[in-house]
Amino acid sequence: ARVLHGEQRFDYHATAFVGEALCFEPRIVDIYDKKNGALEFVVRQTLVRREDGEPVCTLRNTTVVRNG
């Protein structure tokens, strides 16, 4: 009840095909709070690439943590 799914976004750059090997590179790109720290937001972005480095998709999601 303290951890909530806040937002999710998918930006497609190319088509992925069945059987294709993809590389996922997740990282936290932002952490911020609202309401004097009662809510903390963690923004994670994952780059999806082909083995040759061509971008396929960028995934972005926000997790909300309720404090207190």
Side-chain angles (χ1 to χ4, degrees):
R2 295 175 50 107
V3 178
L4 306 169
H5 174 78
E7 181 181 352
Q8 188 167 317
R9 176 179 171 168
F10 302 89
D11 293 320
Y12 297 100
H13 311 295
T15 302
F17 298 98
V18 173
E20 185 174 38
L22 299 174
C23 302
F24 290 73
E25 303 169 17
R27 65 186 182 119
I28 294 174
V29 294
D30 197 8
I31 298 175
Y32 60 94
D33 68 79
K34 289 187 177 180
K35 297 189 178 185
N36 294 322
L39 299 172
E40 288 184 356
F41 296 79
V42 179
V43 181
R44 184 176 61 191
Q45 180 172 295
T46 302
L47 299 175
V48 182
R49 300 179 187 271
R50 290 193 169 89
E51 288 181 307
D52 66 2
E54 179 186 358
V56 174
C57 184
T58 303
L59 315 172
R60 190 174 179 97
N61 71 347
T62 303
T63 301
V64 182
V65 180
R66 296 188 322 176
N67 296 314

